[in-house]
Amino acid sequence: MTRALVLLPVLAAALPADTAVQTDWSGGPGVPGPVTSWGSEFSTQTQVDWESLPGSICISFGAITHDVQQSSAIYTLTSCDMDFDGDSDLVGSSRSLELVAWWENTDGSGEIWTRHVIEIGPSGAYAAEVSDIDGDGDPDVVSSWFWEDELVWYENDGTGSEWYRHLVTDSLNGAKYVSVADLDGDSDYDIAATGFSSPDQVSWWENLNGYGLSWERHVVVQGGSTLNPYCVVPCDIDLDGDSDLVGCLASWEIVWWENDGSGGGWEEHLVYDHETNTLHADCADIDGDGDIDVLGAISHPNTPPPHFGEVVWCENLDSIGTQWQRHVIRADLVGASCVHCADMDLDGDIDVLGTAGTSWGGEEVIYWENADGAGLSWTEHLLSDWGYYARDIEDADFDLDGRPDAVVADEAIHGIWYDLTGYSPAGSLESSILDTQTWPDWGTIDWVSDEPSGTSLTFQVRTGDSPGSLGEWSGEITSPGSLDPYVTGNHRYLQYRVNLYTLSGYLTPQLDHVSFSYDPQGVAEPEPEAPVLLGPVSNPSGGGVVIRFGIPEASLVSLSVFDIAGRLVGRVSSTYSGGTQAVGIGELQPGVYMVRMESGDFTAAGRFVVIE
C-alpha cells in the first residue's frame, strides 16, 4: 500500500538561532568527526597542552632531558661551582655505591660530566651538602654515613682534586640527613643532622674554632622510634635573625624548632599534622606576603585511597610561625618524595619542583608554576614520567642560558637534569568537524581567553557540504565578531583551528571557551544553478524527515520514498518556485529508506535512515 506523504513547509522563522560551543578539551585528540556537538575531544594538535589547565588549552611547556654521566644510584644531589669556572657542578652521595663524589660540568653546558670521587667509604653514604666549613673561601662537603653512624666533612684543596677527611662524630646512630647553617650566630658554619635510631634524633654540631677541627654536639630534640626525622632544613621561620630548623617526621608531622639565638634552646612548633609519612620540606615566601612559608611532600605508599600522598604548602598566617594554614598543590598522589622551592620562570614568585607518582619514591618529575603569585593557583608541567626512585630535587643553571634548570637524584637510575625550554613559540589545535545537520547561515564567533602581554590567540575556520571536502582555511580571525568575511555559503560542516603564540618562554595564552552562532535554516543560501537533491536535513533522523532540494526556476518536482525492500511508501508531486526548498514528510517507521527526485530530465536518488 502506498503511504500518503504530508507536505510540511519548513520556514526559517520557525527555527531559532543556534550556537555550537566548546569549553573543554581534556578528552584529548583523535576525534576527527563529524560530530553533532563538541564535547571534550578534538581532532589534532601541535605543541598544545590540554591537560595542565583543566577545561582549557595553552601552549605546551617543554623540557629537554640530559643525563649526568657516571651518576648511577645517586641518593642526594646539590649544586655548586666546585672548580670556580663559572658553571654549576653537582655534589652527591650514593648509598648503594658507598660513594661521595662531585660531578664536573666539563663543557659548561651540562652535556659532558666528569666524576671526581671524594670518598669511597665503608658503608651507606646517605646525604651530602656543600659549604665552606673552614672559612678558606672554597666549597667543602659534609656527608653522613648511615651504617657507620658517622658525620664527616671533607676539606677541599681549593681545586676539588684533593680532599681531606675530618670526622665530626661517629656516634650518630643511623646518620641520615645533614644541613649546614650558622646556628649559634658566630658567623661560621655549623652542622645539623638527623639520626634513625639515636635517642637524640635531631642534633647540631657547633664549629668551635671556625675551622672545622673541633666540634661540640647540642641536642635539638630527643625521641624514640616514633620520631624518626626524615629531613632537617635550616630557615629563619620567625624572621628574628637566627636560623631555625624545619623537620619532617615519620610520626606524620612537619614541625619547626625555634632557635633561642644561640642554639642552646629550641621550642617545637607544629606546622602540619598528617595521617601519613612526611618525607621532605623546603621553605620560602610562597604567597609573596613577606614571611616564610613551608612546603611539604607527603607519602603513603601502602595505604589505598583516600589516604593518598600530597604536595602541600603551609601558610605562615601570623608571620612568626605559630599559626598555619594548609594549601594543597596536588592531592591525588600515592607518593611524594621530595620538593624544592625556586623561581623557575623568573617572574618574581616562588614555584615548586617535586617528584611524585604511583610507587614509593617518585615516578613523575613535576614543575608546578605559581600561576597567581599567591600560591592559590598552580599550573602543573610534567617534566618526565619514567623516574623510579627519585630522592632529591634542586635547581641550577647548568647550560648558562640564564634560566633555572631542574636536577633530580634517582637512586634506582642516575642523576637527570632538565633544561626547561619553556613554552613553545606557537601551537595550534584543530577541532572535530561539526555536523550541524542543516545548511545554516553562519553568524558570529566568540571566545573567552587569557592573553598575557606578549602572547596572542587567533582562529581560522573552514566549511563544506561534505566532511571529506572542506574548503581552505580562512585567514586568521583576531577578534570575536561576524563570520561573514571568513565563511561563504551555507555549508553543513564546520571545523575551527585555534592558533596560540608567545614571545616569551614563560608566558602562554589560554583558551577557555569558543562558540559559533548560526541560523539552522540558512536563509541566505545561494540559488542553485541546476536541480539538486540535497537529501534529509538530519540523517539519521527521527520519525519526521525533512527532504531538501534545489531548483534554479519554478518547476514540477516529484519525490518518491521507498523502503529497503524497494516498496513505494509515498510520493508527492508539485510545482515549486526556484531556490532551495524543504518538504516535511510525516512519521516513518524506523528503518532505511530511499528518496528519488524527478524534475524534467533530472533524476537523483539518496538514502536516509529513520531511528526511534
Side-chain angles (χ1 to χ4, degrees), residues 25 220 559:
W25 295 263
V220 176
L559 294 175

Side-chain angles (χ1 to χ4, degrees), residues 52 61-66 311 330 333 335-340 344 352-359 361-369 379-395 405-411 413-420:
S52 297
F61 189 92
I64 301 173
T65 302
H66 303 267
V311 173
R330 184 170 168 186
L333 304 169
S337 55
C338 55
V339 286
H340 177 67
M344 298 302 294
V352 171
L353 296 171
T355 62
T358 57
S359 64
E363 289 189 343
E364 297 179 340
V365 180
I366 302 172
Y367 155 44
W368 286 282
E369 178 186 347
T379 301
E380 180 175 302
H381 304 289
L382 181 65
L383 304 185
S384 75
D385 60 359
W386 50 268
Y388 178 72
Y389 206 59
R391 298 298 296 161
D392 203 2
I393 191 166
E394 192 171 324
D395 75 288
D405 307 306
V407 62
V408 174
D410 194 312
E411 194 174 25
I413 308 174
H414 40 64
I416 299 291
W417 73 272
Y418 302 88
D419 180 7
L420 275 60

Side-chain angles (χ1 to χ4, degrees), residues 240-561:
D240 63 353
D242 56 42
S243 185
D244 308 304
L245 294 172
V246 176
C248 290
L249 311 179
S251 55
W252 307 346
E253 296 172 340
I254 300 176
V255 301
W256 74 279
W257 294 283
E258 181 181 353
N259 189 345
D260 67 358
S262 67
W266 300 85
E267 181 180 356
E268 183 173 297
H269 302 275
L270 178 67
V271 176
Y272 178 39
D273 188 1
H274 196 270
E275 59 188 5
T276 60
N277 293 347
T278 56
L279 291 184
H280 202 256
D282 202 4
C283 306
D285 182 9
I286 294 175
D287 54 3
D289 64 352
D291 56 37
I292 304 301
D293 309 302
V294 174
L295 176 69
I298 315 297
S299 181
H300 201 304
N302 300 318
T303 303
H307 303 298
F308 276 174
E310 57 189 16
V311 173
V312 303
W313 72 276
C314 300
E315 181 182 356
N316 190 346
L317 294 176
D318 60 2
S319 299
I320 59 173
T322 62
Q323 297 181 47
W324 299 87
Q325 180 179 352
R326 182 191 69 151
H327 301 277
V328 176
I329 297 177
R330 184 170 168 186
D332 60 343
L333 304 169
V334 174
S337 55
C338 55
V339 286
H340 177 67
C341 294
D343 182 6
M344 298 302 294
D345 53 6
L346 303 178
D347 64 350
D349 57 43
I350 296 298
D351 307 304
V352 171
L353 296 171
T355 62
T358 57
S359 64
W360 203 88
E363 289 189 343
E364 297 179 340
V365 180
I366 302 172
Y367 155 44
W368 286 282
E369 178 186 347
N370 191 345
D372 62 358
L376 302 180
S377 176
W378 298 88
T379 301
E380 180 175 302
H381 304 289
L382 181 65
L383 304 185
S384 75
D385 60 359
W386 50 268
Y388 178 72
Y389 206 59
R391 298 298 296 161
D392 203 2
I393 191 166
E394 192 171 324
D395 75 288
D397 181 9
F398 295 110
D399 52 5
L400 298 178
D401 64 354
R403 301 185 304 186
D405 307 306
V407 62
V408 174
D410 194 312
E411 194 174 25
I413 308 174
H414 40 64
I416 299 291
W417 73 272
Y418 302 88
D419 180 7
L420 275 60
T421 56
Y423 295 106
S424 301
S428 65
L429 177 145
E430 295 181 4
S431 72
S432 303
I433 297 171
L434 178 70
D435 180 3
T436 65
Q437 299 185 314
T438 183
W439 282 259
D441 181 18
W442 291 101
T444 61
I445 178 175
D446 192 14
W447 64 83
V448 176
S449 63
D450 180 22
E451 300 174 43
S453 177
T455 72
S456 61
L457 181 152
T458 67
F459 281 87
Q460 294 172 276
V461 294
R462 60 179 179 175
T463 59
D465 291 325
S466 167
S469 59
L470 298 183
E472 297 295 324
W473 287 105
S474 72
E476 294 193 58
I477 306 171
T478 59
S479 60
S482 174
L483 287 168
D484 285 345
Y486 308 100
V487 177
T488 58
N490 301 83
H491 300 299
R492 172 173 175 169
Y493 299 93
L494 176 139
Q495 185 179 28
Y496 72 81
R497 173 193 285 163
V498 57
N499 306 297
L500 304 99
Y501 305 101
T502 182
L503 299 176
S504 168
Y506 299 119
L507 296 173
T508 176
Q510 173 183 325
L511 176 64
D512 301 315
H513 174 111
V514 61
S515 62
F516 295 84
S517 68
Y518 61 92
D519 185 327
Q521 175 61 25
V523 297
E525 184 168 319
E527 295 295 324
E529 297 179 357
V532 59
L533 176 63
L534 298 172
V537 168
S538 176
N539 186 16
S541 67
V545 179
V546 177
I547 301 295
R548 298 177 76 251
F549 62 88
I551 47 178
E553 58 187 16
S555 305
L556 177 66
V557 176
S558 297
L559 294 175
S560 303
V561 177

Side-chain angles (χ1 to χ4, degrees), residues 104-225:
E104 179 186 353
N105 188 350
T106 310
D107 62 352
S109 66
E111 297 290 344
I112 301 174
W113 298 84
T114 303
R115 189 181 74 177
H116 302 274
V117 173
I118 297 175
E119 181 178 20
I120 296 178
S123 181
Y126 200 94
E129 190 58 76
V130 177
S131 188
D132 183 7
I133 296 295
D134 54 5
D136 63 354
D138 56 42
D140 306 307
V141 174
V142 179
S143 182
S144 57
W145 292 84
F146 184 85
W147 296 113
E148 301 302 314
D149 304 329
E150 289 184 346
L151 194 60
V152 176
W153 76 276
Y154 302 92
E155 182 182 352
N156 189 346
D157 70 350
T159 67
S161 300
E162 298 291 336
W163 299 86
Y164 307 99
R165 190 180 204 268
H166 300 276
L167 181 67
V168 177
T169 183
D170 59 2
S171 60
L172 179 60
N173 294 333
K176 296 195 300 182
Y177 287 96
V178 297
S179 60
V180 180
D182 180 8
L183 296 173
D184 54 3
D186 63 354
S187 300
D188 57 34
Y189 286 104
D190 309 302
I191 300 172
T194 64
F196 179 76
S197 56
S198 168
D200 307 329
Q201 289 186 352
V202 181
S203 301
W204 71 279
W205 282 260
E206 180 182 356
N207 189 348
L208 292 175
N209 62 6
Y211 301 111
L213 302 179
S214 178
W215 299 88
E216 180 180 351
R217 181 174 183 171
H218 302 273
V219 175
V220 176
V221 62
Q222 294 179 318
S225 59

Side-chain angles (χ1 to χ4, degrees), residues 221-238:
V221 62
Q222 294 179 318
S225 59
T226 59
L227 180 63
N228 188 12
Y230 280 107
C231 72
V232 59
V233 180
C235 184
D236 186 3
I237 293 290
D238 51 6

